[in-house]
Each structure stands twice: as structure tokens, then as C-alpha cells.
Amino acid sequence: MSSCRAQRSDADPAPTAEPETLVRIDAAFREVDASRAASEVASTGCTSDARLYPGGESHERALFHDGLERTTRVFIPSSYTPGVPMPVVFVLHGGFGSGEQIETRSAEFNPIAEREGFIVVYPDGVESDGLLKARTWNGGDCCGYASEANIDDVGFVMALLDSLETQLCIDTSRVYSTGMSNGAIMSYRLACEASERIAAIAPVAAPQVFENCNPTHPVALLHIHGTDDPNAPYEGGEGCGFANITFPPAMEGMQVWRDANLCEGAPADLLSLGAGHCQTLGDCGSPVVRCLVEGGGHSWPGGQPPALQLRRCEGGHHTTDFAASEVIWRFFSGQSR
């Protein structure tokens, strides 16, 4: 990495959900925990006794990849100890967002990471040259400049992971990706093209649009979607946002992973929390879970509502009683490669 700068974080070790809610989530997701958790696989950074970066802070970093300077933010919890492997969660912003935006004004993963002990990585998509200066990810057929310019975003995220694995002590069997909207689409593409390194993904508010999906390894999937999302309709169709594409039904992408993960049988109820209702989509080698937020719109459930400049169309509502980030981490914590 070419540069690094530390910033204090507003992370608070207190949970972002009530203790009773955390107990309910934990009890539900024991049903989908891996029956035989993989052993820790320590990265090369685990051989160092040096603590390069303070804990409890976010660090700004830059990395050159494919001729471009790419930026990211990394939150390292206070409990990080050199030589002791930690899981890593990539959190990918939506179109027109940024790593800083989804970290501090949306998903609120840092307090959970501080409490539970995992590293959170917030990369930035590539910024367009137009007047809007929107950052986007190349998720295949979506979205915006990154897709049009065929930016190598899978290569960037894997190069970023390579760099982190040499500088920090990472459990390489427990690397995960989640994201909002365009970041959800990008998480799906990472699972398709880097399944040998990604243990689980949790897309929020967008379906899989990458058609050439041929994973070489199972990847556990948790998909979260509002039933009234106007930007990326759950049932498919033309969204009213800036992506300007016709989305496939979200269930099509989930079916790809039902097939890849050798799922059999009917859906079964898993968790009801506020407006959110989660089901397992069969008995699978690696779980496939769908969480639908009744009446939910295009936002991160349980997080902060989207900024005005990121809203383009009316429809659905911002849900506050379904703690998406808590659900996602609890799902991730039970999965490994």
C-alpha cells in the first residue's frame, strides 16, 4: 500500500441492538452455523509481532491497481492482537456513496466489530469523470462508469486482501463481503469470481446481475431486500434509480447459489424481527438465507437513512426495527471456508 493515515473512529463497544434482540438473532442463526467449522488459516501477517496500526480506529489507505490509485478505509478493533488471526468483513458502498459514507453514515459496523472482534474494510469504488462524480462498482452489467469502463474491481479487492493479509493477522478462512445496492451487486460478483477466498456474502437491496457465475467453491449467502424497493425491485424490472437497467428477479441469483450449494427441500422460517422475515432456502451444504423486509425501500435496514442526494425515487420506507448489520455479522460468524 502506498499510504496510510489513521483517523479516530466513533465506534462504541456498546451493541447497536438491544441485548434481547441479539439473543434472538443468535438463537435463530445457530440453525445455519457450519456444522464443522474450518480451522483458522493464518495469513503471512501473523508471523509479525509488530502492531503497525492502533486499534479502535479507522485507517485510510491507498493502493495502486491496474494503473489506478484506489483508496479504502480499514477499521481495526481494540482487541486486535498481533499473531492472533481475526476475520475480515468487506463493506461495499452503493452507487454515489463512498467507503467513508457507508462506514460512518449508514451500516454502522464498527461498534459491532469493536464488540465482537473483527476487521472491517470499506473500499472506494472508482469515481466517474462526469459532473456527478459518482463512485461505482463493476458488478457486471451494472453500474455506471465502473461497468462501462470495465474496471477490474474483483482484481482490486483481491489485491487489497493480499496486502492486508501481509500487514495484519487475518484468518483467511473467514473473509466475508456485504454491500448496499451496487455494493451488493459487487459482493455477488466477488462470490462468483473469487469463491476460493470468500466464505460468505450478504448483499443488501440489489440482486445478482453477473450472468457468468461459475463458482469453484460454495459460498454461504444471506440476501436482504425490501419488498417495496423502487430502485432495485425485488421481483425484478426497471429500477427508478441512476443505474438505468432492468433488474432480474432477486430470486434468480439466489437460485444460482441454491444450485451451487446443493440445496434441497422447501424454505423454512428462521427469524422474524420487526418488519424483517428470514427463511432458509432449503437444506444446503453452505446455507442460503433470504430476509425480506415488508414494505422496505432502498436503504440499509436498521442503519441510518440514506442521504437526500442518494434518493431519487419514492417508494418503500426506511426500516429501523430490523438490525441488518447485526444479522449479517451473526450469519458470517458461523461460516468459514
Side-chain angles (χ1 to χ4, degrees):
M1 296 226 172
S2 60
S3 65
C4 174
R5 184 168 53 136
Q7 287 190 335
R8 288 302 305 170
S9 170
D10 294 330
D12 185 333
T16 57
E18 294 296 325
E20 295 82 359
T21 298
L22 298 179
V23 169
R24 288 182 58 197
I25 294 170
D26 180 65
F29 278 88
R30 288 178 196 158
E31 299 293 323
V32 296
D33 285 349
S35 58
R36 199 180 312 169
S39 301
E40 288 182 344
V41 182
S43 69
T44 57
C46 294
T47 61
S48 172
D49 293 329
R51 188 183 183 110
L52 299 178
Y53 310 106
E57 297 184 2
S58 288
H59 305 269
E60 295 181 352
R61 303 182 180 201
L63 169 72
F64 280 91
H65 175 75
D66 202 25
L68 299 173
E69 183 181 43
R70 305 296 300 267
T71 53
T72 190
R73 295 165 65 89
V74 181
F75 176 80
I76 302 172
S78 300
S79 58
Y80 174 81
T81 303
V84 180
M86 264 193 175
V88 170
V89 176
F90 284 91
V91 181
L92 308 180
H93 64 77
F96 286 76
S98 68
E100 187 271 341
Q101 167 264 323
I102 200 167
E103 178 189 17
T104 63
R105 301 190 302 281
S106 181
E108 300 180 331
F109 264 101
N110 291 359
I112 304 172
E114 183 73 2
R115 186 187 76 223
E116 300 290 338
F118 60 93
I119 297 164
V120 197
V121 185
Y122 303 94
D124 288 318
V126 170
E127 190 173 78
S128 66
D129 295 329
L131 294 176
L132 293 176
K133 298 293 184 185
R135 293 184 182 89
T136 55
W137 300 102
N138 179 9
D141 292 334
C142 182
C143 295
Y145 173 77
S147 177
E148 294 163 5
N150 197 26
I151 299 297
D152 181 22
D153 277 327
V154 173
F156 160 58
V157 174
M158 291 300 99
L160 177 55
L161 179 57
D162 288 341
S163 179
L164 292 170
E165 287 179 353
T166 64
Q167 297 185 4
L168 297 169
C169 188
I170 288 172
D171 182 353
T172 64
S173 72
R174 302 184 67 201
V175 176
Y176 313 107
S177 181
T178 184
M180 166 71 192
S181 189
N182 185 203
I185 292 169
M186 186 64 209
S187 290
Y188 267 120
R189 187 168 189 182
L190 287 173
C192 291
E193 295 195 351
S195 61
E196 74 282 2
R197 301 188 73 179
I198 303 292
I201 62 169
V204 178
Q208 178 168 302
V209 302
F210 184 59
E211 294 183 356
N212 299 316
C213 186
N214 299 294
T216 58
H217 296 73
V219 177
L221 167 66
L222 171 73
H223 182 101
I224 300 175
H225 215 125
T227 60
D228 293 349
D229 187 334
N231 295 63
Y234 173 74
E235 298 291 349
E238 186 174 350
C240 64
F242 293 95
N244 195 30
I245 69 168
T246 299
F247 291 96
M251 194 60 210
E252 281 190 8
M254 284 182 268
Q255 185 61 50
V256 169
W257 291 98
R258 286 192 80 249
D259 294 341
N261 294 352
L262 305 178
C263 299
E264 296 179 347
D269 291 340
L270 181 67
L271 172 69
S272 290
L273 186 65
H277 306 282
C278 302
Q279 291 182 312
T280 57
L281 297 185
D283 182 14
C284 309
S286 289
V288 177
V289 176
R290 171 183 59 193
C291 295
L292 295 182
V293 180
E294 189 64 35
H298 196 68
S299 65
W300 191 281
Q304 298 183 37
L308 288 175
Q309 65 267 28
L310 299 182
R311 305 175 193 168
R312 187 179 180 185
C313 38
E314 299 297 325
H317 60 262
H318 174 66
T319 304
T320 59
D321 57 8
F322 181 79
S325 295
E326 295 282 7
V327 169
I328 288 168
W329 169 247
R330 181 59 188 83
F331 176 72
F332 283 166
S333 68
Q335 310 302 320
S336 58
R337 283 194 301 108

